[in-house]
Amino acid sequence: MPSRRSILKSALTGLVTAPFVAPSIALAKAPFAAIQAPAFYRLKIGSAEVTALSDGTVALQLAKLYTNTSEQHAQSALKDAFLPESVPTSVNAFLVNTGERLVLIDAGTGAYLGPSLGKLVTNIEASGYKTDDIDDVVLTHIHTDHSGGLMSNGKPTFPNATLRVNEREAKFWLSPENAKAATGIVKQHFGEADQCVTPYVKAGQFETFGDNEAPVPGLGSILYAGHTPGHSAITVESEGQKIVFWGDITHGDILQFDEPGVAIEFDIDQNAAVAARDIAFKQAVAGKYLVAGAHIAFPGIGHVRKDSTNYDWLPINYT
């Protein structure tokens, strides 16, 4: 039987006599991938499944859009948070599976607001669902960045879904008289609302819900009018847990938490929007529930707490 010494000697001899082969070296430069992973994030609220979905981001000069403040002050606050002059601003939607219904909250921008957005359908499919699976689409409000994705190439994106909107919101945006009287960007929004919402009305797939009423069984709503006349948060509660889908209570997660009195040009009634934000913040702090914002950095889910200045946004730990 060979000794341990002879075995080691043979092994070492093989290492010494084995021919050297130089490792292959890749000389070509690798191209930039330039593609992010599919943007969805999933969590449970009791027995309900919630999936945050990104429609993409859009660069906005928020300092120029905020009101009740100066552009210089707003820009300084954003810069202190390491944000550029053109702030990458998320557009988020949320899918709720109650076990009985699959409900989409807000529908993204579709093809309306440029190539950096309009990614909602891709991310719905990446998350394991299909647009045909969706039973209901509930809008927090009818601005184009929430309703533009309802139509794709002239056809409903969600062919089996019933579209549900607060009745005040529907009366405002679907009124020919209001559309005729509107000016500027608001007039454009009326036209886009007609293009995206009216096909569901004509197809008999449109229903409204009252203030603070359930849009569908298993979900609730809270009227936070101001940003638009029927702007409503959507709520889900299950097994002692709660999440409130805010819609546009804030634009961004910096300035309006420290200074809730700051409004934005998109608010149809800025004073009412400020008042609604004050109520929403106080309720979120008192209730200690999760909130989900349409324009808070993806996935847009977190908590609100009081801090030394005013309020603070604490994003959910999703690592």
Side-chain angles (χ1 to χ4, degrees):
M1 177 181 292
S3 67
R4 180 172 178 273
R5 181 185 296 272
S6 64
I7 292 171
L8 290 173
K9 183 178 179 181
S10 297
L12 290 171
T13 301
L15 287 174
V16 171
T17 59
F20 174 76
V21 178
S24 61
I25 300 174
L27 299 177
K29 293 180 180 178
F32 292 111
I35 298 174
Q36 295 285 2
F40 68 91
Y41 169 70
R42 187 164 284 144
L43 74 161
K44 293 296 289 291
I45 301 295
S47 62
E49 175 196 81
V50 173
T51 305
L53 299 159
S54 174
D55 190 58
T57 60
V58 60
L60 295 178
Q61 291 190 317
L62 288 178
K64 295 181 182 295
L65 297 172
Y66 287 133
T67 61
N68 299 343
T69 186
S70 69
E71 181 181 338
Q72 293 75 17
H73 173 73
Q75 191 61 65
S76 177
L78 295 171
K79 185 177 180 181
D80 286 346
F82 305 99
L83 291 171
E85 185 173 343
S86 293
V87 180
T89 305
S90 292
V91 177
N92 305 320
F94 303 91
L95 197 58
V96 178
N97 190 336
T98 68
E100 300 294 330
R101 313 175 80 95
L102 188 61
V103 183
L104 180 65
I105 299 173
D106 289 332
T109 63
Y112 282 97
L113 297 177
S116 67
L117 296 169
K119 305 182 187 306
L120 181 62
V121 170
T122 296
N123 286 318
I124 288 173
E125 293 175 349
S127 77
Y129 292 104
K130 296 185 183 301
T131 55
D132 289 1
D133 298 335
I134 294 172
D135 299 299
D136 307 276
V137 179
V138 181
L139 300 185
T140 58
H141 61 297
I142 300 183
H143 272 159
T144 308
D145 53 328
H146 299 257
S147 63
L150 289 169
M151 299 293 290
S152 302
N153 299 316
K155 296 181 180 180
T157 308
F158 311 101
N160 299 321
T162 298
L163 177 61
R164 302 177 186 275
V165 181
N166 173 279
E167 60 187 2
R168 295 186 191 214
E169 190 76 358
K171 287 179 181 178
F172 179 78
W173 290 107
L174 301 181
S175 163
E177 292 78 15
N178 289 347
K180 185 177 180 179
T183 60
I185 188 66
V186 178
K187 192 171 191 68
Q188 178 182 324
H189 289 163
F190 271 100
E192 292 164 350
D194 180 58
Q195 294 165 17
C196 295
V197 175
T198 301
Y200 287 81
V201 177
K202 291 181 176 178
Q205 294 173 254
F206 181 80
E207 294 188 11
T208 61
F209 55 91
D211 299 346
N212 305 307
E213 292 184 355
V216 297
L219 279 69
S221 73
I222 306 170
L223 179 67
Y224 288 134
H227 180 62
T228 62
H231 180 268
S232 296
I234 307 302
T235 66
V236 173
E237 295 186 63
S238 177
E239 299 178 0
Q241 295 181 300
K242 181 176 180 178
I243 187 168
V244 177
F245 301 94
W246 259 355
D248 285 9
I249 288 294
T250 73
H251 289 77
D253 46 24
I254 303 298
L255 187 60
Q256 288 178 308
F257 283 90
D258 284 335
E259 301 177 46
V262 171
I264 198 165
E265 287 185 5
F266 305 133
D267 295 331
I268 288 179
D269 183 334
Q270 295 188 8
N271 291 334
V274 167
R277 180 163 41 256
D278 180 64
I279 294 169
F281 281 2
K282 288 176 178 175
Q283 290 175 338
V285 169
K288 298 182 179 180
Y289 47 70
L290 283 170
V291 298
H295 302 303
I296 293 175
F298 182 80
I301 300 173
H303 289 93
V304 183
R305 69 175 179 185
K306 290 284 290 181
D307 66 7
S308 59
T309 55
N310 232 315
Y311 295 94
D312 191 21
W313 170 254
L314 297 175
I316 191 171
N317 182 2
Y318 58 93
T319 56

